[in-house]
Amino acid sequence: MSIAVIAPGRDRSKWIAYFERADPSINVEIWPDIQEPEKVQCALVWKHPIGELLKYPNLKFIACMGAGVDHIIQDPKLPKGVPITKVVDDQLSKDMSIYVIQGILNNQRRFVDHLHARERGEWLNSHRYPEKMNIGILGLGVLGQDVASKLVTLGFDAFGFSQTKKEVIGVSCFWGKDQMAEFLNSINVLVCMLPLVDQTRGFLNKDLFARLNKGTYLINVARGEHLVDEDLIAAIDEGQISGALLDVFHEEPLPKDHPFWSREEIMITPHNASVTDPKSVARQIVDNYHRIETAEPFKFVIDREKGY
Ligand code: NDP
């Protein structure tokens, strides 16, 4: 029996070493050189080729290499009934929280403006900065709750929005369509941490921006497809959105001629807000793999109906 690592274009060699460390008795095969497909019980995947997972008749679970499973769910030829797991990892949450908090602080203290001012040899008089920053976390899941809690510890007012009711100490939690307006009215920084599903594609659009307080700052660390790019540019031109920090894009790397590159108000990072640590994730997958023998329920299974 074996684990197959199916992640085209990614450095897969280190996964073998980490699985070896976690449990040397496990046989690991690396796509596309999989010798015995009928022995594969777990497929560890990142952006696998469409239909590839149908080739493994004894698959017991599909393990996503990251927290966002959209690239798996989007495969129309996914084997039916096979559970899908995602990564839930303290380090992944911590890295994401640090990224978001750094983005908020950069914006609050205008570090980027100071960098540009330095290039011009200009002493930028900006002793005043917004005292009140109300941070709205759109998508109060594993990662969103961690950021929100850490923001509270730092003394920010944190607000969260989710589909279903959540309780996070110190965070004002809103849920469901009826509470959306109150959530949007309460904040002046919006952080998108939604999963990518049909209902959330294009969620960050002109209608949503119009409902925000004027000058709201946007951070998108979820997926590029959540954002309607031209609506963001228009909202910045109108002053409705003051600027944005974007880590994810429709096309990655972001094409050289994309209008975002020419906008000083938009900060761009190369989808590195939080990157899976193979060492700790290999342990988590091995733990689930052993559950096949003991018939215990897998950990971190997503809801295939909901898509996250
Ligand atoms: P979770 O599945 O744990 O949480 C998702 C949250 O979004 C839940 O609170 C859910 O609400 C809420 N939600 C879902 N649909 C809606 C909706 N239509 N309206 C409002 N809220 C909604 O996800 P994670 O926190 O683990 O990850 C979030 C995303 O972060 C991933 O999907 C991935 O795309 C992205 N990511 C980005 C990384 C990067 O480096 N940039 C790294 C890792 C992840 P409820 O629980 O009530 O259903």
Side-chain angles (χ1 to χ4, degrees):
M1 293 301 143
S2 65
I3 294 177
V5 181
I6 308 172
R10 287 215 154 189
D11 175 12
R12 293 149 286 167
S13 55
K14 57 186 166 203
W15 284 99
I16 298 188
Y18 288 122
F19 279 124
E20 174 82 10
R21 259 191 241 175
D23 183 344
S25 71
I26 295 177
N27 184 30
V28 179
E29 296 216 71
I30 302 287
W31 182 90
D33 305 315
I34 294 177
Q35 304 300 321
E36 297 179 292
E38 67 287 351
K39 288 200 173 165
V40 172
Q41 289 191 305
C42 162
L44 171 62
V45 301
W46 190 258
K47 298 187 179 170
H48 65 276
I50 300 289
E52 173 66 25
L53 297 171
L54 287 175
K55 295 180 186 163
Y56 307 96
N58 294 310
L59 206 53
K60 298 291 185 282
F61 71 105
I62 300 163
C64 177
M65 218 177 248
V69 297
D70 42 287
H71 56 103
I72 301 176
I73 294 291
Q74 281 163 15
D75 180 352
K77 295 178 180 167
L78 214 51
K80 290 198 170 56
V82 179
I84 300 169
T85 64
K86 62 179 255 187
V87 170
V88 175
D89 179 51
D90 285 350
Q91 190 61 45
L92 194 79
S93 300
K94 189 176 158 192
D95 289 348
M96 178 59 88
S97 295
I98 288 172
Y99 176 98
V100 171
I101 290 166
Q102 182 161 359
I104 292 166
L105 296 177
N106 276 352
N107 177 248
Q108 184 190 41
R109 304 304 298 260
R110 299 184 59 191
F111 282 150
V112 176
D113 292 341
H114 289 292
L115 201 63
H116 292 314
R118 186 188 191 284
E119 284 158 11
R120 297 191 299 269
E122 183 190 341
W123 181 268
L124 190 65
N125 262 326
S126 71
H127 295 300
R128 292 178 63 81
Y129 53 87
E131 284 158 23
K132 194 85 181 134
M133 292 189 84
N134 291 350
I135 321 296
I137 308 293
L138 180 59
L140 207 50
V142 175
L143 300 177
Q145 291 190 25
D146 192 76
V147 177
S149 300
K150 288 189 167 83
L151 284 165
V152 170
T153 308
L154 286 173
F156 286 98
D157 287 333
F159 301 75
F161 186 83
S162 50
Q163 294 257 75
T164 56
K165 193 174 177 188
K166 299 276 183 293
E167 284 180 21
V168 185
I169 295 168
V171 179
S172 305
C173 295
F174 299 86
W175 59 284
K177 279 196 180 126
D178 293 350
Q179 297 185 7
M180 184 65 155
E182 201 182 342
F183 168 73
L184 296 176
N185 281 334
S186 307
I187 60 174
N188 52 13
V189 176
L190 177 67
V191 185
C192 178
M193 305 190 80
L194 291 171
L196 183 65
V197 290
D198 288 345
Q199 305 91 293
T200 63
R201 201 175 293 275
F203 205 89
L204 304 173
N205 60 30
K206 58 176 184 296
D207 297 335
L208 182 110
F209 296 151
R211 297 170 72 192
L212 288 163
N213 288 308
K214 199 166 178 68
T216 293
Y217 188 73
L218 175 72
I219 297 179
N220 186 17
V221 287
R223 287 290 181 262
E225 292 90 335
H226 287 121
L227 176 66
V228 179
D229 293 359
E230 54 275 24
D231 288 1
L232 173 63
I233 304 253
I236 290 176
D237 286 342
E238 290 155 11
Q240 184 60 16
I241 297 285
S242 57
L245 166 59
L246 306 177
D247 185 52
V248 285
F249 304 90
H250 285 261
E251 191 182 338
E252 296 175 1
L254 185 64
K256 285 208 171 4
D257 59 352
H258 194 287
F260 286 165
W261 287 115
S262 60
R263 302 300 302 232
E264 274 202 4
E265 307 93 334
I266 298 178
M267 200 159 165
I268 293 164
T269 55
H271 199 150
N272 67 355
S274 186
V275 179
T276 298
D277 171 14
K279 189 160 54 175
S280 89
V281 173
R283 282 198 297 265
Q284 168 170 140
I285 288 158
V286 166
D287 176 55
N288 262 340
Y289 187 75
H290 288 310
R291 286 163 184 258
I292 299 171
E293 296 151 28
T294 58
E296 284 174 273
F298 295 122
K299 282 185 178 171
F300 314 130
V301 176
I302 62 112
D303 181 334
R304 278 182 67 152
E305 283 299 306
K306 282 161 77 177
Y308 63 93

